[in-house]
Amino acid sequence: MKILIVDDHQSLRDLLADHLRRCGFAVEVAGTGGEAIACMQASRYDALILDLGLPDMDGAQILAARNTDRNGSVPCIVLTARDALESRVASLNAGADDYVLKPFAVPELEARLRAVLRRTVPGYQTLSRGNLSFEPASRHAVVAGQVLDLPRREAMLLEEMLRVAPRIVVKDRLEERLYACNESVTLNAIEALVSRLRRKLAMAGADIRIDTVRGLGYRIVMDGSGHV
């Protein structure tokens, strides 16, 4: 799951970004409306956390800017100090999925984010293939009753591949989905992640495996059959 946080208060957006990354999300941040629009034109997000009081434009313009090929249906949580009824109604009518007033508790915002994702992302609660099941909210992966110990990035990789299985996931897409645009990614970062996850699945006795499709990317198949 990839999240964009748009807020001009650097300390707040950094706090939120750090918390959500620890919870297993890939997070990018923007401090202005212009930066947010550029991010949405360049990448696809699963959710948007948006402050209305931006220095260069009103957050309502960002809600309208979601109507792009990449992010037209991205859910949005408005995060603002504007508590007037008119502001809440206008934001919800403009397409916001939730409205959170500042000040707020970070765990509550995380819970609201997960609730929005459950409503808007098919299969968000549990993903299953063969004898493996994965719960995105808790990053809990189980193979035939055995819990897999997956660090954050490996869990994110597994989730991305399960969501599209048996289709191929292009390597460039994995880089986009697993890393923020300002993160440096080594040439073999994805290969190393896939190798570690592949080894853990095999050691746990999973009846699925990760195949490399040379020149394209990776896909999940049933072990021994070539089909999911």
Side-chain angles (χ1 to χ4, degrees):
M1 295 281 106
K2 191 170 186 178
I3 312 299
L4 177 62
I5 299 173
V6 186
D7 198 298
D8 63 330
H9 292 87
Q10 181 176 350
S11 58
L12 175 59
R13 68 174 183 262
D14 288 348
L15 174 67
L16 287 176
D18 289 345
H19 177 84
L20 292 178
R21 287 182 185 121
R22 290 195 300 271
C23 293
F25 295 97
V27 181
E28 293 185 357
V29 298
T32 67
E35 290 176 359
I37 291 173
C39 285
M40 290 190 292
Q41 290 172 342
S43 188
R44 185 180 71 82
Y45 299 95
D46 296 291
L48 172 66
I49 297 175
L50 173 66
D51 180 23
L52 293 180
L54 299 172
D56 57 338
M57 65 179 69
D58 192 274
Q61 295 173 257
I62 307 298
L63 282 173
R66 291 183 305 159
N67 297 318
T68 65
D69 290 341
R70 278 182 175 269
N71 291 286
S73 61
V74 63
C76 177
I77 297 177
V78 167
L79 183 65
T80 182
R82 300 178 187 175
D83 61 353
L85 175 62
E86 294 81 0
S87 178
R88 298 197 299 273
V89 170
S91 295
L92 294 170
N93 284 339
D97 296 87
D98 202 350
Y99 194 101
V100 177
L101 287 174
K102 298 178 180 179
F104 62 92
V106 173
E108 180 185 356
L109 180 62
E110 179 200 342
R112 287 177 177 268
L113 173 62
R114 294 194 187 280
V116 166
L117 290 171
R118 284 195 297 272
R119 295 197 302 268
T120 58
V121 178
Y124 177 71
Q125 290 181 283
T126 303
L127 300 169
S128 299
R129 287 291 185 277
N131 63 354
L132 178 143
S133 65
F134 178 78
E135 297 178 4
S138 62
R139 288 181 287 163
H140 192 233
V142 177
V143 174
Q146 176 182 343
V147 177
L148 291 185
D149 181 17
L150 298 181
R152 177 176 67 93
R153 201 86 70 178
E154 291 176 27
M156 293 167 67
L157 170 63
L158 179 60
E159 179 181 354
E160 291 298 324
M161 298 200 66
L162 285 172
R163 287 195 181 282
V164 302
R167 299 193 305 276
I168 296 170
V169 185
V170 178
K171 181 182 174 184
D172 289 347
R173 172 182 166 82
L174 287 175
E175 290 183 357
E176 175 191 317
R177 298 288 292 164
L178 301 186
Y179 297 90
C181 61
N182 60 347
E183 287 185 280
S184 59
V185 184
T186 61
L187 290 175
N188 66 342
I190 296 297
E191 289 90 338
L193 272 176
V194 169
S195 178
R196 291 195 297 270
L197 180 57
R198 182 184 282 142
R199 185 169 57 251
K200 289 180 180 180
L201 290 172
M203 291 177 62
D207 56 12
I208 64 169
R209 71 173 190 272
I210 301 174
D211 270 5
T212 300
V213 182
R214 193 170 299 279
L216 289 176
Y218 308 92
R219 64 177 177 176
I220 285 180
V221 299
M222 291 296 293
D223 195 25
S225 72
H227 302 283
V228 173

